[in-house]
Amino acid sequence: MFKLKIILLIIGTLSLVLGVKFIYDARPIVKKYFSFGDKNEATLGLKILGFVLIIIGAIIMYFNF
């Protein structure tokens, strides 16, 4: 049971960190990895993905404790 709590804590923390990274660095990530025309839509999509990851990580960490 204790190992499961640690694993869920690590997954939740990684999800939160990746979500924050996607939100704050969306434009540089899009410029570096994607090369299609409309960068604003890709940036918006990456920010939405980051927001969803933050929500998932927060739920995992909330119910873990």
Side-chain angles (χ1 to χ4, degrees):
M1 188 67 179
F2 185 67
K3 292 180 184 179
L4 180 65
K5 282 189 158 233
I6 291 176
I7 291 171
L8 286 176
L9 182 68
I10 290 171
I11 290 172
T13 306
L14 286 175
S15 176
L16 285 170
V17 169
L18 280 175
V20 170
K21 175 78 171 164
F22 283 163
I23 288 175
Y24 284 116
D25 292 336
R27 192 158 301 275
I29 290 171
V30 167
K31 284 181 183 177
K32 186 174 181 181
Y33 292 110
F34 301 111
S35 63
F36 52 86
D38 195 11
K39 291 189 177 15
N40 288 332
E41 286 185 17
T43 303
L44 179 65
L46 205 56
K47 286 184 178 189
I48 291 171
L49 176 66
F51 181 72
V52 169
L53 282 175
I54 288 174
I55 297 298
I56 290 171
I59 289 171
I60 288 172
M61 291 183 71
Y62 178 76
F63 288 113
N64 192 24
F65 290 115

